[in-house]
Amino acid sequence: MSAEPVVHSVDDDEGVRSSLSFLLECSDLTTRTYESAVEFLRVVPTMARGCIITDVRMPQVSGMELVARLKDLGVSDPVIVITG
């Protein structure tokens, strides 16, 4: 695990992921991107701490469902839910 906080961006839209990652990295923040909540949930046990930004509407697992699952897993990192 990294000692530096990481912003985890979870969005099914590649353009949104790329834009958000670019903006955050321009502010000297470390980012990781995931194209689905399912993909992100796979890395949760070993993820670097920081914060999570997720889209509210995604296929399979929505952003709100992701927030509930993270709570059930005991993840205390802050979560920001966005929508286009």
Side-chain angles (χ1 to χ4, degrees):
M1 279 194 242
S2 172
E4 182 177 330
V6 173
V7 179
H8 300 276
S9 175
V10 185
D11 199 306
D12 60 314
D13 185 314
E14 193 275 326
V16 172
R17 285 192 317 272
S18 294
S19 297
L20 187 55
S21 180
F22 174 76
L23 176 67
L24 294 167
E25 288 173 358
C26 285
S27 298
D28 294 325
L29 296 169
T30 302
T31 64
R32 301 283 182 272
T33 61
Y34 310 87
E35 61 184 52
S36 71
V38 172
E39 178 186 1
F40 178 64
L41 286 166
R42 286 188 196 118
V43 304
V44 165
T46 60
M47 74 175 193
R49 295 292 164 216
C51 74
I52 302 154
I53 301 174
T54 184
D55 188 11
V56 71
R57 292 193 177 140
M58 294 182 291
Q60 296 178 312
V61 178
S62 73
M64 297 311 294
E65 291 170 323
L66 175 60
V67 170
R69 289 191 188 183
L70 291 170
K71 183 177 179 183
D72 290 344
L73 292 170
V75 175
S76 61
D77 298 52
V79 179
I80 301 167
V81 180
I82 61 173
T83 186

